[in-house]
Amino acid sequence: MSDRPELDFPRPLTTVDVVIFAILSDALQVLLVQRPKAESEPFPGSWALPGGFIDIAGDRDLEACAVRKLKDKTGVVSPYLEQLGSWGSATRDPRGWCATHVYFALLGEHAAGGTRAADAQWFAIDGEKVKPKLAFDHAEILQAAIQRLRAKVEYTSLPAYLMAPEFTLPELQRSYEIVLDRPLEKSAFRTRMLAADLIEPIAKMRKGPNRPAQLYRLKKAKAPVFFARTFNPPD
């Protein structure tokens, strides 16, 4: 018999959802899952953010649940995971009063391409939304995640976590431009990246139609770099 006292008040449903971003086909994309089509399910057949109920026996905390949900859908652990916020109300889930704790994760293209869940699919982001109508309040959550990501990209190195293990400086700049949805000045970007103690050159070059380009990689065990000022928008 458990020594825990019996709870004499109703408990809300508690879930964790994860907004998973990647750059695929030269576009910022988000991973969505299709909900079961049984009519007993809320929003049957609709697309939603990956997530689910907390395993109170196996998840030591909210982040552990987010890591588990991420790995269930992608087979990998994200190099970057951040808590976005919490959403809760009596109306967001028809099954009852529900609170969800939301994280967002970044995956490089090499990891995103290995998504293994049959019910999961990548969708390109257009502005602050995707084409399919999302279940629950996930459209609102996705919008908040996009806004957070773009705001932080203005002054941090987050797009580096969207890169392949080896990349050129133009490829890194392109990842910033895709997330910010605007061009950046080449020489200023190069100066900032090389001065940030974020990346290091490797003994390889990327061959192409023009002269070979130096390849770089992220320095190991590095937290995101915070820049002293934001990127200036173009005139």
Side-chain angles (χ1 to χ4, degrees), residues 33-38 41-48 95 119 135-136:
V33 294
Q34 191 169 30
R35 292 190 51 75
K37 296 183 179 180
E41 292 282 343
F43 304 96
S46 296
W47 291 94
R95 292 169 292 190
D119 61 347
F136 306 104

Side-chain angles (χ1 to χ4, degrees), residues 113-154:
T115 304
R116 64 185 183 184
D119 61 347
Q121 184 175 323
W122 291 98
F123 287 87
I125 291 169
D126 181 10
E128 295 182 351
K129 59 184 181 180
V130 289
K131 284 187 176 180
K133 185 177 181 181
L134 301 185
F136 306 104
D137 51 1
H138 288 188
E140 176 188 340
I141 293 172
L142 175 59
Q143 182 182 41
I146 294 168
Q147 291 173 350
R148 170 78 66 85
L149 175 62
R150 286 178 172 157
K152 295 196 76 168
V153 167
E154 291 282 3

Side-chain angles (χ1 to χ4, degrees), residues 2-235:
S2 173
D3 293 330
R4 294 181 180 179
E6 291 291 329
L7 298 177
D8 60 356
F9 57 88
R11 286 172 285 178
L13 305 173
T14 307
T15 63
V16 168
D17 292 307
V18 188
V19 187
I20 307 172
F21 292 114
I23 292 178
L24 300 168
S25 302
D26 206 40
L28 183 63
Q29 304 209 22
V30 64
L31 188 70
L32 301 177
V33 294
Q34 191 169 30
R35 292 190 51 75
K37 296 183 179 180
E39 293 198 7
S40 58
E41 292 282 343
F43 304 96
S46 296
W47 291 94
L49 297 168
F53 293 104
I54 293 172
D55 180 353
I56 60 174
D59 295 329
R60 68 181 182 277
D61 54 27
L62 293 174
E63 185 171 326
C65 183
V67 170
R68 177 172 60 84
K69 295 297 181 182
L70 173 65
K71 196 165 186 179
D72 284 347
K73 297 304 178 184
T74 67
V76 300
V77 175
S78 171
Y80 186 82
L81 184 70
E82 176 183 323
Q83 190 167 15
L84 177 67
S86 297
W87 278 256
S89 75
T91 58
R92 66 177 305 270
D93 189 322
R95 292 169 292 190
W97 213 110
C98 179
T100 188
H101 306 280
V102 184
Y103 287 76
F104 78 87
L106 306 178
L107 291 183
E109 183 175 358
H110 62 295
T115 304
R116 64 185 183 184
D119 61 347
Q121 184 175 323
W122 291 98
F123 287 87
I125 291 169
D126 181 10
E128 295 182 351
K129 59 184 181 180
V130 289
K131 284 187 176 180
K133 185 177 181 181
L134 301 185
F136 306 104
D137 51 1
H138 288 188
E140 176 188 340
I141 293 172
L142 175 59
Q143 182 182 41
I146 294 168
Q147 291 173 350
R148 170 78 66 85
L149 175 62
R150 286 178 172 157
K152 295 196 76 168
V153 167
E154 291 282 3
Y155 60 91
T156 71
S157 61
L158 287 193
Y161 295 104
L162 297 166
M163 304 301 297
E166 300 173 357
F167 51 85
T168 66
L169 277 174
E171 289 168 346
L172 180 58
Q173 179 173 339
R174 181 59 186 151
S175 74
Y176 270 82
E177 292 174 338
I178 288 171
V179 177
L180 291 172
D181 196 25
R182 71 170 195 264
L184 298 174
E185 202 279 319
K186 181 178 178 180
S187 62
F189 179 86
R190 180 183 181 90
T191 298
R192 179 174 295 195
M193 291 300 112
L194 293 179
D197 194 33
L198 166 69
I199 60 177
E200 59 187 4
I202 61 176
K204 291 173 67 176
M205 305 289 282
R206 172 75 52 78
K207 295 182 179 179
N210 302 315
R211 65 181 183 179
Q214 175 67 54
L215 283 167
Y216 294 83
R217 67 185 174 196
L218 278 179
K219 289 190 174 182
K220 293 183 178 179
K222 293 290 290 184
V225 171
F226 289 78
F227 305 126
R229 56 186 176 82
T230 62
F231 288 98
N232 292 326
D235 296 331

